[in-house]
């Protein structure tokens, strides 16, 4: 999952529990993404020290900076979507005009 989609999925401001709380598992994509986003200040999290000396991820939540990141990037998505709709509309209008013109000549 990319950063934007992950942040958007936790954008409700609530605390979320990780599927796999093991911070040391390099194959744990969720935990690795959480660590990366925390370094950027986009999320915060709580950890717990286990009896064996390892750390476990308890919960995480989006920060105001993370919400701003989602807002800025969702604007880009909306702009791209609007541009695509405009281009598709123009192409459809041109094709319609060409077909009407062609059928009108026959």
């Amino acid at each position: 999952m990319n950063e934007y989609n992950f942040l958007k999925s936790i954008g409700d401001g609530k605390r979320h529990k990780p599927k796999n709380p093991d911070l040391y598992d390099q194959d744990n994509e969720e935990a690795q993404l959480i660590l990366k986003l925390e370094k950027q200040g986009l999320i915060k999290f709580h950890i717990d020290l286990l009896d064996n000396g390892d750390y476990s991820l308890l919960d995480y939540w989006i920060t105001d900076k993370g919400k701003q990141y989602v807002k800025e990037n969702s604007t880009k998505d909306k702009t791209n979507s609007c541009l695509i709709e405009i281009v598709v509309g123009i192409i459809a209008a041109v094709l319609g005009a060409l077909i009407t013109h062609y059928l009108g000549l026959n």
Side-chain angles (χ1 to χ4, degrees), residues 25-81:
D25 182 2
Q26 293 298 317
D27 295 328
N28 185 353
E29 293 179 17
E30 179 187 29
Q32 297 306 313
L33 181 59
I34 289 169
L35 291 171
K36 179 181 174 184
L37 294 173
E38 194 275 334
K39 286 180 184 175
Q40 296 174 19
L42 301 175
I43 65 169
K44 291 195 179 223
F45 60 82
H46 287 133
I47 56 173
D48 187 26
L49 180 61
L50 302 176
D51 291 338
N52 64 2
D54 288 343
Y55 290 98
S56 176
L57 184 62
L58 292 177
D59 58 1
Y60 55 90
W61 60 96
I62 191 168
T63 62
D64 289 339
K65 185 177 177 181
K67 289 177 185 177
Q68 184 64 31
Y69 176 89
V70 170
K71 184 178 178 183
E72 289 170 359
N73 285 286
S74 66
T75 302
K76 290 177 186 175
D77 283 349
K78 289 177 186 174
T79 302
N80 289 341
S81 177

